[in-house]
Amino acid sequence: MSATQTLPDVSGTGSSGEFGARPSPWIFRPWLDLLVGCGAWSAPLLLLATFASSSHAAGWSFAFYFLALLFNYPHFMATVYRAYHTREDFVKYRIFTLHVALLLALAGVLAHVSANLLPWIFTLYICWSPWHYTGQNFGLAMMFARRAGLSPTPAERRGLQLAFAASFLLLMLSFHTGPSNDPLILSLELPARFTLPARAALGLFFLGSSGWALFSLARRNSVKAILTPLTLTMTQFLWFLLPAAIEIATSREVPQTRYSSGILAVLHSTQYLWITSYYQRREARAAGDASWKMSRYFVTLFAGGIALFIPGPWIVSRVFHTDFAASFLTFTALVNIHHFILDGALWKLRDSRIAALLLDTRDKTANTTAETGGGLLAATRWLGEKSAAARVLRIGAVVLLFGWAALDQAHYYWAHDDGRIASLERAASLNPYDSSIRARIAQAEARTGNSDAAIAALRAAVALRPENLPMQQTLGRMLIEHKRDTEAYALYRELAKKFPRDANSQVNYGLLAAQLGHREEAVDAWQKAIEIDAAQSKGQLYLAQALDARGEAQAAARHYHAYLEIVAAHPAEHRGETGEVLAALVKVADADAEAHRPDEALKGYHAAIGFAEKSGDKAMESLTLVHLAELQEKQGDSAEAARSFQRALAVEDARADPRGAASDWVNYGEFLRRQGQSERLVYACFLRAEELLKTTPSEELLAIAKKRAASETRLGRGASAVRGHLDATIGEAISLSSAAFAAR
């Protein structure tokens, strides 16, 4: 029902069964009207759906799919039945029944030709759905108010209408806050710092405006009289405000597709079937159609709903070899959009005929209807006749559609049985052109360790949905995990061309190019990545490392600094990057030192040392202390430099890493020689370094031995004394006080 309806001033008496008696405030029975029509069962069903979907995801997914067959599909057919089953209605709403339908059919063809259109269509469907639900809730609230004789004033009606609209806007802001995690959903990516206060304001407005309108109605009548509008307002709160409030309080994102097309769609559909079945029965009786039966009406809706949703994707997929998953989503979105448009045109209480039937009012037009054909056009009207041929055709069509629905349900069940490859293969045999099944087969094969089969299945899925970037990236990661770097490189090179605005693809392309020796390609890719997204931390880090390897220290430092700023802004997302952060801190400080910015360099080294101590990274702590010592020595602060070298040696001693310790002893020995300390102390440092590496011959050991030999030559006969008392001499070297350096 439309949220833009205006209620005429209708009066008179009638009953739920005949015109002329006192009208009843109820449609069927009070308990049924409150539970289904007013949505009083929303709270327990939403709670059940939340817990069931989190603990039994696969089973609940199938349950929703089955519920869609029982309720969602028929509710769409109810609108089609309402608009097309009489020539009068078909002609009256021709722009919607014919022209809009043809335009949407053309959109469906274009979406199958150009897959890039699907996210736009699907996003429109997802964002329109809550507005459609809102309009129906508000329309039913006004209908019940008039049936109960409340006669809302224009101000009360407007207050409730604005409250419902505010709840919809609140949900839209939730949907469009930040980037979307669903490739089919396009987000405006609004910043949370703006949408959070706006959502809070809209929530308060809903409570205030709806509360005032309901209180005003109750004050002029009674609380019992406003029970139905009050229940529908609470339903609107549960459907729209409560999920947003939970999201704000817990930082859990509202799942757009699951929320709009899941349990909420089921609740809305049952509500819709409840009111349309009442309306169609009243219309048939008003027209004098004694043969109309509720059971036959529901069989029509069930069969018609199947016809709207199921055959189309199957036929298109099998005949044109298009992806079944994409085709199904396209049909779903377009049928929904047509339903939203058509429904908004049909359900207007300002239409005297509709008002008479829904409000139980006396109206001349209520008993006069146009010719009731049985189909869309005169050429198919004979399908509704009682001839044997028409009857056989109708029964055959219903049986065929029911069988097709059973096949579709089996396909869905097997396709979501992720634990068994045999079930997935059975689903794939029913429709081999289904990318979602191929992707699940790939996941199942990967769990069993069959990497070749997993990659082959994923390649088949990608071939069906080449526009699906996440699926392509999953294939890339799988190739990397199984050391198929050449194939991964080729894949990401194509992704970088096909999706030039995707920073992640550019980063991975650069990483693989670097591993295969294409370093210039790598640098170009990483530069493109940070041009696309300056907050791409990996792109900044890899580019910095590449520039540093080319000797462009200052350019590298800028990107290291950008990387550190990103990490500082989002520490929780980079908890496992301690080594990278420490290396970046040291590189930035080194660049500052090289550029003659000693104060910034000192701050950087001390920050790195503190972070290394906190994280327990002894290797980086020792390395940074050596770099700090070298800067302090250049600044002429030999005493502090000595302390830094000594601290580095103490850290290396605690690490028990011979190679790292040997390097630090060499650095300290050279420092002592530059500072004019005794050659015996210098010799002891080189000798200790050589001893640490004597069991592991290497180029490094040869270089140390050369330094030791030169010092031994300078020391002469005193070398033997040092060898005989090495530990004591080493202790003397690392115990040199600040005064020993200040005096020189």
Side-chain angles (χ1 to χ4, degrees):
M1 302 183 70
S2 173
T4 59
Q5 61 205 9
T6 56
L7 294 178
D9 289 329
V10 288
S11 59
T13 59
S15 70
S16 60
E18 302 294 339
F19 297 105
R22 188 175 185 277
S24 167
W26 303 107
I27 295 295
F28 289 103
R29 296 177 180 83
W31 67 268
L32 182 62
D33 291 353
L34 286 172
L35 278 179
V36 179
C38 298
W41 61 356
S42 295
L45 290 181
L46 286 171
L47 189 65
L48 174 64
T50 300
F51 283 103
S53 60
S54 60
S55 57
H56 303 87
W60 195 244
S61 174
F62 178 73
F64 269 131
Y65 197 72
F66 183 67
L67 288 173
L69 180 68
L70 294 181
F71 299 106
N72 293 25
Y73 297 174
H75 115 273
F76 291 102
M77 184 57 192
T79 299
V80 172
Y81 183 93
R82 169 87 174 80
Y84 290 83
H85 87 291
T86 68
R87 174 170 291 278
E88 178 200 28
D89 285 331
F90 177 81
V91 173
K92 180 179 179 180
Y93 303 109
R94 179 183 294 273
I95 190 171
F96 306 107
T97 56
L98 181 60
H99 301 107
V100 170
L102 290 175
L103 285 175
L104 290 174
L106 176 60
V109 173
L110 294 176
H112 282 86
V113 173
S114 176
N116 293 329
L117 290 177
L118 178 55
W120 292 92
I121 295 172
F122 200 75
T123 300
L124 177 61
Y125 150 55
I126 289 298
C127 292
W128 200 335
S129 296
W131 178 248
H132 179 66
Y133 305 158
T134 295
Q136 179 165 291
N137 281 341
F138 175 74
L140 290 174
M142 292 297 98
M143 181 199 73
F144 272 118
R146 296 306 298 258
R147 288 180 69 95
L150 294 180
S151 300
T153 66
E156 291 166 346
R157 183 184 183 280
R158 179 62 63 182
L160 201 59
Q161 187 178 36
L162 289 175
F164 277 44
S167 66
F168 164 77
L169 290 175
L170 187 153
L171 187 66
M172 284 300 99
L173 288 177
S174 297
F175 281 4
H176 291 282
T177 297
S180 171
N181 294 324
D182 190 329
L184 288 174
I185 304 294
L186 304 176
S187 172
L188 296 176
E189 299 188 18
L190 302 174
R193 66 180 182 277
F194 295 136
T195 62
L196 182 59
R199 284 183 283 173
L202 288 168
L204 292 174
F205 179 83
F206 173 88
L207 295 175
S209 186
S210 62
W212 171 83
L214 292 170
F215 177 77
S216 180
L217 281 170
R219 185 175 55 185
R220 290 189 291 105
N221 298 275
S222 66
V223 175
K224 182 178 180 180
I226 69 162
L227 179 60
T228 45
L230 175 62
T231 304
L232 280 158
T233 303
M234 290 300 300
T235 295
Q236 187 73 8
F237 173 83
L238 290 172
W239 288 12
F240 297 95
L241 262 72
L242 185 60
I246 293 173
E247 179 191 4
I248 293 172
T250 64
S251 299
R252 293 179 59 187
E253 185 180 355
V254 174
Q256 293 116 313
T257 52
R258 182 169 54 184
Y259 185 76
S260 291
S261 58
I263 184 64
L264 214 59
V266 173
L267 292 170
H268 162 79
S269 298
T270 54
Q271 186 185 59
Y272 194 91
L273 291 172
W274 161 84
I275 190 62
T276 55
S277 62
Y278 170 78
Y279 178 86
Q280 294 300 155
R281 184 181 67 178
R282 294 296 309 281
E283 183 183 55
R285 290 181 178 178
D289 185 1
S291 65
W292 192 92
K293 293 182 180 180
M294 186 72 78
S295 59
R296 187 165 56 193
Y297 173 66
F298 276 117
V299 169
T300 301
L301 297 190
F302 190 64
I306 294 171
L308 284 174
F309 283 91
I310 294 178
W314 279 88
I315 293 172
V316 170
S317 176
R318 293 303 298 259
V319 173
F320 298 101
H321 297 180
T322 59
D323 179 38
F324 175 79
S327 184
F328 177 80
L329 293 173
T330 301
F331 272 82
T332 297
L334 290 174
V335 171
N336 271 274
I337 291 171
H338 185 240
H339 168 74
F340 301 155
I341 296 171
L342 194 57
D343 186 70
L346 291 174
W347 295 104
K348 302 287 187 183
L349 285 182
R350 57 175 171 263
D351 185 319
S352 58
R353 174 183 166 194
I354 295 174
L357 294 173
L358 290 183
L359 301 179
D360 280 350
T361 58
R362 185 187 303 275
D363 192 285
K364 294 180 180 180
T365 63
N367 294 314
T368 60
T369 63
E371 173 189 3
T372 57
L376 298 177
L377 305 170
T380 58
R381 189 176 304 158
W382 67 275
L383 287 172
E385 297 177 355
K386 296 182 179 179
S387 66
R391 182 180 178 83
V392 168
L393 186 59
R394 287 199 303 270
I395 294 175
V398 169
V399 170
L400 174 64
L401 288 170
F402 283 16
W404 208 329
L407 177 69
D408 183 72
Q409 290 288 314
H411 173 264
Y412 187 88
Y413 177 78
W414 289 327
H416 288 76
D417 188 4
D418 294 341
R420 296 196 300 171
I421 295 176
S423 295
L424 295 170
E425 293 287 0
R426 193 177 298 123
S429 67
L430 291 177
N431 193 329
Y433 309 106
D434 191 335
S435 64
S436 62
I437 295 178
R438 296 296 177 187
R440 292 190 183 95
I441 291 174
Q443 294 172 356
E445 294 285 9
R447 286 194 294 268
T448 64
N450 192 345
S451 61
D452 290 340
I455 291 172
L458 203 49
R459 284 192 186 279
V462 165
L464 289 166
R465 290 284 299 277
E467 78 285 352
N468 190 317
L469 178 59
M471 190 179 292
Q472 297 258 26
Q473 291 173 331
T474 300
L475 174 59
R477 288 192 297 270
M478 189 175 291
L479 291 170
I480 293 171
E481 289 171 4
H482 293 91
K483 310 301 181 184
R484 297 166 71 162
D485 291 348
T486 303
E487 296 175 62
Y489 165 70
L491 172 66
Y492 274 107
R493 182 173 57 188
E494 291 304 312
L495 290 183
K497 295 176 182 177
K498 188 171 183 178
F499 303 96
R501 301 300 302 170
D502 182 66
N504 289 327
S505 293
Q506 296 288 353
V507 168
N508 289 333
Y509 169 43
L511 188 60
L512 289 159
Q515 289 175 354
L516 295 174
H518 310 300
R519 301 198 178 278
E520 292 304 319
E521 282 185 51
V523 170
D524 289 343
W526 292 326
Q527 286 177 333
K528 288 178 183 177
I530 63 173
E531 287 172 6
I532 297 166
D533 181 11
Q536 173 56 255
S537 62
K538 292 298 184 183
Q540 295 283 7
L541 178 61
Y542 296 152
L543 180 57
Q545 291 171 342
L547 293 173
D548 190 38
R550 292 199 319 199
E552 301 176 31
Q554 296 303 318
R558 289 195 296 272
H559 296 291
Y560 277 125
H561 191 269
Y563 167 73
L564 292 172
E565 287 183 336
I566 297 168
V567 172
H570 307 282
E573 299 175 13
H574 301 275
R575 286 178 180 167
E577 300 177 20
T578 302
E580 291 87 345
V581 170
L582 281 168
L585 285 169
V586 174
K587 291 292 185 180
V588 170
D590 287 345
D592 286 333
E594 184 180 331
H596 306 293
R597 295 188 292 268
D599 292 340
E600 289 83 350
L602 287 171
K603 289 179 183 177
Y605 287 136
H606 284 298
I609 292 167
F611 189 55
E613 288 178 338
K614 184 178 179 181
S615 61
D617 192 329
K618 299 296 184 182
M620 286 303 300
E621 182 182 358
S622 172
L623 175 65
T624 311
L625 282 165
V626 171
H627 284 228
L628 173 62
E630 291 171 348
L631 175 61
Q632 290 167 333
E633 183 184 9
K634 289 179 182 178
Q635 292 297 108
D637 193 352
S638 301
E640 285 300 315
R643 287 185 56 196
S644 297
F645 274 123
Q646 291 164 3
R647 285 178 60 191
L649 287 167
V651 170
E652 287 295 353
D653 186 55
R655 281 184 70 213
D657 175 29
R659 186 174 296 276
S663 177
D664 284 356
W665 279 112
V666 170
N667 288 329
Y668 188 48
E670 291 180 334
F671 167 73
L672 293 178
R673 189 165 62 82
R674 289 192 299 269
Q675 294 299 315
Q677 295 295 332
S678 171
E679 188 65 39
R680 50 190 290 275
L681 300 180
V682 175
Y683 178 64
C685 292
F686 292 155
L687 193 59
R688 175 52 57 88
E690 186 178 24
E691 284 187 350
L692 288 168
L693 295 182
K694 65 183 179 181
T695 59
T696 56
S698 62
E699 293 293 328
E700 186 179 359
L701 178 58
L702 292 175
I704 292 173
K706 186 176 180 180
K707 290 180 182 293
R708 185 266 309 156
S711 178
E712 189 173 7
T713 300
R714 289 191 295 270
L715 187 57
R717 295 179 179 180
S720 59
V722 173
R723 287 182 180 275
H725 302 85
L726 181 58
D727 289 341
T729 310
I730 285 293
E732 183 182 346
I734 61 175
S735 299
L736 289 172
S737 64
S738 300
F741 296 92
R744 296 183 179 274

